[in-house]
Amino acid sequence: MRDTNDRPAAPNFTQACIVMFGVNLTWILMVIWVVWGLLAVAATGWLVNHVINRIALARG
């Protein structure tokens, strides 16, 4: 069996994940705005905020 101590540490992709979440959220909200209007974007933004707050409360 191979010794696992000689492997390099895994890269930290947290910052890239946060940036891509913002990019994806932006284009998704723009598509929703074009298709259904500003009220749907506001409701979606409120829903995303609510979900993020629930996750933050659950994590402590």
Side-chain angles (χ1 to χ4, degrees):
M1 186 150 178
R2 190 175 158 190
D3 185 19
T4 59
N5 292 333
D6 63 345
R7 285 193 225 164
N12 185 359
F13 290 115
T14 303
Q15 190 67 30
C17 180
I18 292 170
V19 169
M20 287 310 300
F21 176 76
V23 169
N24 286 327
L25 185 63
T26 300
W27 77 259
I28 289 169
L29 289 176
M30 286 183 175
V31 168
I32 291 172
W33 192 350
V34 167
V35 174
W36 290 295
L38 188 59
L39 189 59
V41 171
T44 304
W46 176 83
L47 181 66
V48 169
N49 185 42
H50 183 70
V51 169
I52 290 172
N53 286 336
R54 299 247 338 196
I55 291 170
L57 286 173
R59 293 184 93 181

